[in-house]
Amino acid sequence: MKHVTLALIGAGDRGFAYGKYALDHPDEVRFVAVAEPVAVRRDRFAAAQGIAAENRFADWRDLLERPPLADAVIVATPDRLHVPPAVAALEAGYDVLLEKPMANTLPECVALVHAAQRTGRSLQVCHVLRYSDFFNQVYRIVQSGRLGELVTVEHRENVAYYHMAHSFVRGNWRRQDESSPMILAKCCHDLDLLTWIVGERFTRLSSVGSLRHFRANSAPHPDVPPRCTDGCPVEAECPFSAPGIYLERRPWRSIAQGVDRVPYYDFSMERGWPVSVLAHGDMRPEAIRHALETGPYGRCVYHCDNDVVDHQVVSMQTESGTSVTLTMHGHSHEEGRTLRLDGTRATLEGRFNHSQNVIMVHDHLAGRTETVYPLGTHIVHGGGDAGLMQAFVQGLREGIRSPLTSAEAALDSHLLAFAAEQARLDGTVIDVAAYRAAALGGPGA
Ligand SMILES: NC(=O)c1ccc[n+]([C@@H]2O[C@H](COP(=O)([O-])OP(=O)(O)OC[C@H]3O[C@@H](n4cnc5c(N)ncnc54)[C@H](O)[C@@H]3O)[C@@H](O)[C@H]2O)c1
């Protein structure tokens, strides 16, 4: 079978996650070029993958202006930098694997789908959870008809309090004008899963939510300084303390017992996330402390320039009348997703957490509960990162385009996220078909 070559645009956290697949499967795939402006990341990725010096670039434009260097390109740049490199790569003749969200605006998402159609290239979006064991099990159980007709679906994206503080208060996804609404940034995966698992189009949608907590008037003390390292009077008792999270790693230690609190949370331990983000992977305490004293991650969570919500609820109805709710919030004790699907013949309950991964099916007639423990859920995205890469690479090797994570499929979930944000802001109920037609430029589109 054909051996696949790849070029990476954006050698950050996600780029390295996909790089791992190539290191684990050298017989299938090899990275032969990289574009990354931060020299230390570029060199680290290039050295690990054995990329020749002439194929290391400081910007995606330098890579793409060359004749094609690989079979496909992975675009793993920050959210606001997805569209130009993805479109340019498609136009340069590459198949593309693009990180989620596809784009920060709906017209740009539509433009990406059009660019793939125009160039005849494959554009896949990194909806890795479709490849996780856990959600595959849920999908298969629903498809088998074992639950009967689906009546209600309740899905929760429980963002851990330290992840919320790291990404959506202090970090890259804190402001809508620099990234996107949180319901898109955090939940396009969840809306994608719901679209896939429920298997029907949604007809109506409404949403509520707000930035409830991470604002100046929620500060627990009148004298909290702009940075946690500036002598904060309540630092020791604040769950969001930057030294507590990044230096002491309190979220991963039980303060009371001094033992590991979340033993399943191995991927963060292994890769050092989120601490690794602060000083380009330099994990020395002095480098982390310097980053806290000078960079964005040392700021008090009550004195940041964040404006994205910290909770949002989306209610949707399908064509056949199933009611679906998605609750997203950033105040969870641990990271993970929980769900409950009630059908006319059985109820499914699922927990996709770092500490517990379980699916239970309660059969109405038999009065019996079957507990299903999917395999591999203790690794990154429940095995989804590797599963996605395997499918992408296999598609390139065999010349097959997987519809599972195509840009067209991703557009459906992204569209729901933009509709949810509009519904939240306007207090309206959205007619999804009309919203879709307007976005795509015509009725029934
Ligand atoms: N699929 C998932 O489950 C998942 C999970 C987390 C993040 N993401 C998404 O992945 C993307 C990357 O996230 P990350 O956490 O790796 O971010 P990151 O900041 O660690 O990495 C992005 C990299 O892109 C580089 N970059 C910036 N400008 C560039 C340019 N002109 N040319 C080439 N590279 C450039 C940055 O220097 C950085 O190293 C984001 O869109 C994020 O939302 C997806």
Side-chain angles (χ1 to χ4, degrees):
M1 227 186 294
K2 179 177 154 55
H3 190 269
V4 167
T5 54
L6 296 175
L8 175 68
I9 295 180
D13 197 48
R14 297 302 301 162
F16 273 84
Y18 299 122
K20 184 174 183 317
Y21 184 86
L23 296 178
D24 291 345
H25 300 85
D27 48 324
E28 293 177 19
V29 59
R30 198 159 58 89
F31 280 90
V32 295
V34 60
E36 164 60 56
V38 178
V40 61
R41 292 183 190 174
R42 183 173 65 241
D43 292 344
R44 198 181 307 140
F45 186 85
Q49 304 285 340
I51 295 173
E54 66 271 20
N55 284 352
R56 304 176 184 189
F57 305 94
D59 186 75
W60 60 267
R61 294 173 193 82
D62 304 331
L63 190 159
L64 293 178
E65 73 184 15
R66 295 278 214 85
L69 296 167
D71 296 314
V73 162
I74 296 182
V75 177
T77 42
D79 295 3
R80 67 180 180 286
L81 251 183
H82 282 185
V83 183
V87 171
L90 290 166
E91 286 174 347
Y94 289 102
D95 287 336
V96 174
L97 180 63
L98 172 63
E99 258 305 353
K100 52 75 23 187
M102 300 164 73
N104 283 341
T105 67
L106 185 50
E108 287 175 306
C109 293
V110 175
L112 278 167
V113 172
H114 288 163
Q117 289 166 348
R118 190 175 65 243
T119 57
R121 306 312 311 180
S122 166
L123 175 61
Q124 301 281 320
V125 178
C126 294
H127 280 308
V128 291
L129 292 178
R130 285 207 190 197
Y131 289 97
S132 65
D133 294 330
F134 181 93
F135 285 106
N136 262 287
Q137 295 262 16
V138 175
Y139 175 78
R140 282 201 293 270
I141 291 167
V142 172
Q143 292 299 307
S144 74
R146 195 169 156 190
L147 304 184
E149 286 176 29
L150 273 186
V151 180
T152 61
V153 176
E154 190 185 295
H155 178 105
R156 295 176 65 93
E157 162 64 306
N158 306 301
V159 182
Y161 65 98
Y162 54 85
H163 184 176
M164 179 77 203
H166 175 79
S167 295
F168 301 97
V169 180
R170 294 178 168 123
N172 292 345
W173 293 271
R174 72 193 184 283
R175 290 182 63 84
Q176 198 149 317
D177 57 356
E178 291 182 13
S179 61
S180 60
M182 187 173 166
I183 197 70
L184 177 76
K186 197 71 196 81
C187 284
C188 64
H189 278 321
D190 303 278
L191 291 162
D192 178 66
L193 290 169
L194 288 168
T195 306
W196 179 52
I197 290 167
V198 174
E200 282 185 68
R201 285 222 161 137
F202 294 103
T203 52
R204 291 193 301 160
L205 177 155
S206 65
S207 184
V208 293
S210 68
L211 177 57
R212 167 88 172 70
H213 184 67
F214 298 103
R215 303 174 298 167
N217 59 4
S218 296
H221 190 282
D223 298 328
V224 293
R227 283 183 185 277
C228 304
T229 46
D230 288 347
C232 175
V234 292
E235 187 277 319
E237 64 222 49
C238 178
F240 310 107
S241 154
I245 292 174
Y246 300 108
L247 285 167
E248 296 168 37
R249 308 209 66 178
R250 283 181 207 157
W252 298 276
R253 307 280 298 169
S254 162
I255 295 167
Q257 296 161 7
V259 295
D260 282 354
R261 180 194 278 189
V262 191
Y264 278 93
Y265 198 27
D266 62 342
F267 75 82
S268 63
M269 295 293 188
E270 189 185 300
R271 299 191 320 198
W273 185 92
V275 184
S276 57
V277 173
L278 270 64
H280 300 315
D282 187 342
M283 304 293 273
R284 291 171 305 143
E286 57 271 32
I288 303 301
R289 179 160 286 283
H290 178 71
L292 295 186
E293 287 167 358
T294 57
Y297 295 99
R299 292 182 293 176
C300 169
V301 292
Y302 304 103
H303 293 304
C304 288
D305 56 349
N306 56 309
D307 62 9
V308 299
V309 300
D310 60 2
H311 72 289
Q312 186 165 351
V313 180
V314 183
S315 306
M316 299 179 285
Q317 193 170 48
T318 70
E319 281 166 336
S320 71
T322 306
S323 295
V324 177
T325 56
L326 164 65
T327 298
M328 168 191 82
H329 71 103
H331 297 277
S332 180
H333 65 295
E334 73 167 327
E335 189 81 3
R337 294 171 162 97
T338 48
L339 55 149
R340 177 176 169 131
L341 286 68
D342 286 287
T344 51
R345 300 195 65 86
T347 292
L348 181 152
E349 289 182 283
R351 289 179 173 275
F352 184 64
N353 292 340
H354 290 143
S355 61
Q356 190 192 28
N357 299 281
V358 62
I359 296 169
M360 285 181 294
V361 179
H362 313 278
D363 187 277
H364 297 348
L365 192 63
R368 224 181 14 239
T369 294
E370 188 199 347
T371 302
V372 185
Y373 290 94
L375 299 170
T377 42
H378 58 289
I379 53 174
V380 185
H381 288 141
D385 287 1
L388 174 90
M389 275 296 280
Q390 185 184 28
F392 184 62
V393 168
Q394 193 176 336
L396 291 167
R397 295 177 92 190
E398 297 176 1
I400 301 165
R401 293 178 179 183
S402 163
L404 203 57
T405 51
S406 69
E408 284 90 349
L411 182 61
D412 284 343
S413 54
H414 285 60
L415 185 133
L416 291 173
F418 290 111
E421 187 61 1
Q422 184 177 318
R424 181 183 78 85
L425 292 173
D426 299 349
T428 49
V429 176
I430 304 273
D431 175 332
V432 179
Y435 187 84
R436 183 183 171 80
L440 270 58

